[in-house]
Amino acid sequence: MALLSLKNLSKRYLSDRGEWTEIVRISSFELDAGEQVLLQGESGSGKSTLLNVIAGIVAADEGAVTLDGTDMRALAESARDAHRARSLGYVFQNFNLLDAYSCIENVELGMAFGGKTDVALARKLLERVGLGERLNYRPDQLSQGQKQRVAIARALANRPKLVLADEPTGNLDPSNAAVALDLIQSLCRENGTALLLVSHDPSLKDRFERTIDLSELNEASSLLPGSEGLS
Ligand code: ADP
Ligand code: MG
């Protein structure tokens, strides 16, 4: 059974001209446990929207997101939040750290949403990403590369089944980007965590087991029976 399964998924937005546009239209997509997939696509093609639908931050208009055997629609909101916090880690382009809290507190807060705080593990993760000397620094006392490493530690804090990463190197210089990418990939591998990473950098292809282009995924779906597009 796939770890993540998308079925007849659709997300529409109202454009500024008052027309409904189908941003995400995927008839079928599956990702296996531990698999690392690169998601590419032009700017505005719906990559962030798709990740947000998978994470449940944005509700799909139609279709099912099944994560680790659970159809997310079948759960009440609080149960869905708990399932998501335990099963999913998210790394954003802009890090999304809480500036009022230290590095280790940011990681512990990520754990608290999953229901269990483990200070020793939080410390271990921060040491693993090279921030053992910075546990009590706040994000505004860190470099961009260090901030993203805190966010990576946080994303892995609940030992999730799946990490979503949305242009995680977009705000980093090339050497910090390479370090962040290495850490995301090796931490996912060490934990048996699957990875769905969005980037427009084609040079990343070689690092992934599978690369998908979102526009091709959407187009392929429109050719299948039972998935008529909205035009
Ligand atoms: P990508 O991450 O691939 O650059 P996005 O998923 O951010 O693309 O956006 C895809 C399209 O959906 C864009 O055309 C964007 O303008 C539109 N869009 C995203 N969020 C909203 C929203 N809340 N309301 C209306 N349109 C949106
Ligand atoms: Mg985006």
Side-chain angles (χ1 to χ4, degrees):
M1 192 188 58
L3 172 69
L4 172 73
S5 155
L6 310 179
K7 208 88 206 139
N8 297 326
L9 203 61
S10 174
K11 178 65 200 173
R12 300 163 205 130
Y13 280 128
L14 202 53
S15 76
D16 53 3
R17 287 177 298 165
E19 291 160 354
W20 285 99
T21 311
E22 195 169 35
I23 304 296
V24 173
R25 182 184 62 238
I26 295 175
S27 65
S28 175
F29 172 73
E30 291 191 342
L31 192 139
D32 287 331
E35 195 183 7
Q36 300 204 344
V37 173
L38 175 64
L39 177 65
Q40 303 204 295
E42 289 166 27
S43 175
S45 61
K47 304 180 297 296
S48 297
T49 302
L50 176 59
L51 291 196
N52 286 333
V53 167
I54 293 171
I57 296 167
V58 164
D61 293 306
E62 281 166 37
V65 175
T66 306
L67 179 61
D68 201 17
T70 303
D71 182 341
M72 303 300 272
R73 289 173 307 183
L75 300 177
E77 200 176 331
S78 62
R80 196 161 52 223
D81 289 346
H83 182 63
R84 187 182 304 132
R86 282 193 303 268
S87 310
L88 267 185
Y90 211 135
V91 181
F92 300 90
Q93 180 170 347
N94 297 320
F95 325 127
N96 283 16
L97 297 172
L98 296 168
D99 282 321
Y101 296 91
S102 68
C103 293
I104 192 152
E105 286 167 340
N106 267 276
V107 176
E108 287 171 28
L109 280 165
M111 290 170 161
F113 285 114
K116 195 171 109 224
T117 306
D118 179 342
V119 186
L121 176 61
R123 189 180 301 119
K124 207 171 118 202
L125 277 164
L126 286 167
E127 284 165 359
R128 176 69 181 78
V129 300
L131 294 172
E133 310 287 301
R134 298 282 187 280
L135 299 180
N136 296 310
Y137 281 52
R138 287 191 320 272
D140 61 5
Q141 299 170 308
L142 299 177
S143 71
Q144 301 292 94
Q146 288 170 332
K147 283 183 205 177
Q148 192 58 305
R149 285 188 269 144
V150 177
I152 292 165
R154 180 183 58 185
L156 271 299
N158 291 321
R159 302 188 185 283
K161 298 275 175 67
L162 173 64
V163 163
L164 304 173
D166 194 356
E167 312 260 13
T169 59
N171 282 342
L172 303 180
D173 61 64
S175 74
N176 276 310
V179 169
L181 210 56
D182 282 341
L183 281 170
I184 293 174
Q185 292 198 284
S186 49
L187 277 166
C188 284
R189 219 165 275 131
E190 286 162 27
N191 288 284
T193 298
L195 174 63
L196 181 59
L197 184 142
V198 164
S199 173
H200 57 255
D201 181 352
S203 74
L204 299 191
K205 258 185 153 174
D206 294 344
R207 306 176 63 120
F208 286 82
E209 296 153 23
R210 186 150 65 106
T211 299
I212 33 175
D213 190 286
L214 185 57
S215 55
E216 283 169 23
L217 193 62
N218 280 331
E219 250 163 52
S221 298
S222 71
L223 300 174
L224 292 171
S227 61
E228 66 271 21
L230 289 187
S231 46

